[in-house]
Amino acid sequence: MKSVIRLRMSAHDAHYGGNLVDGARMLALFGDVATELLIMQDGDEGLFKAYDQVEFLAPVFAGDYIEAEGEIVSVGNTSRKMKFEARKVIAPRPDINDSACDVLSEPIVVCRASGTCVVPKDKQRKQ
């Protein structure tokens, strides 16, 4: 089971000079993906317990379109192990003009992570 979210990073998301987006924004997207996966798996939002690993691989800027994907890779009694990947799929082209963008022929992986979520047994409706 997989889940994908795609959205544009806004000027509001830019946290640093040069319109650079804080890496924590990618983790927030992964949290939303995890929530959807848990609802599909268990009928409940569950809770994110911990990230095991996080890698920031490329910068993200305001105006970039990011596709965040996740999947459940193992299911325990109450735990759900997940892996995530965020990719830049569209990038702005301010060198051309203020509204120009390019769809990237090859998405750029900007972040990868894995983590564990928990859905208490009494909250699991789809087992």
Side-chain angles (χ1 to χ4, degrees), residues 26-27 30 54-58 84-86 109-113:
M26 298 306 102
L27 299 184
F30 293 160
V54 176
E55 293 178 284
F56 297 106
L57 302 165
F84 306 94
E85 185 172 276
V109 177
V110 298
C111 187
R112 284 193 185 110

Side-chain angles (χ1 to χ4, degrees), residues 35-94:
T35 296
E36 182 177 6
L37 286 167
L38 292 174
I39 291 168
M40 292 188 305
Q41 170 77 28
D42 294 294
D44 191 89
E45 293 183 7
L47 297 168
F48 212 118
K49 181 176 179 179
Y51 282 102
D52 306 319
Q53 170 266 339
V54 176
E55 293 178 284
F56 297 106
L57 302 165
V60 175
F61 300 96
D64 288 344
Y65 278 79
I66 300 297
E67 181 178 85
E69 181 176 16
E71 67 178 313
I72 296 174
V73 293
S74 68
V75 176
N77 190 30
T78 60
S79 65
R80 281 81 178 103
K81 178 82 172 154
M82 299 180 187
K83 66 178 185 178
F84 306 94
E85 185 172 276
R87 298 175 289 274
K88 185 185 309 192
V89 294
I90 296 174
R93 290 291 309 273

Side-chain angles (χ1 to χ4, degrees), residues 96-110:
I96 296 173
N97 68 52
D98 290 344
S99 58
C101 292
D102 283 339
V103 175
L104 303 177
S105 58
E106 286 292 321
I108 298 168
V109 177
V110 298

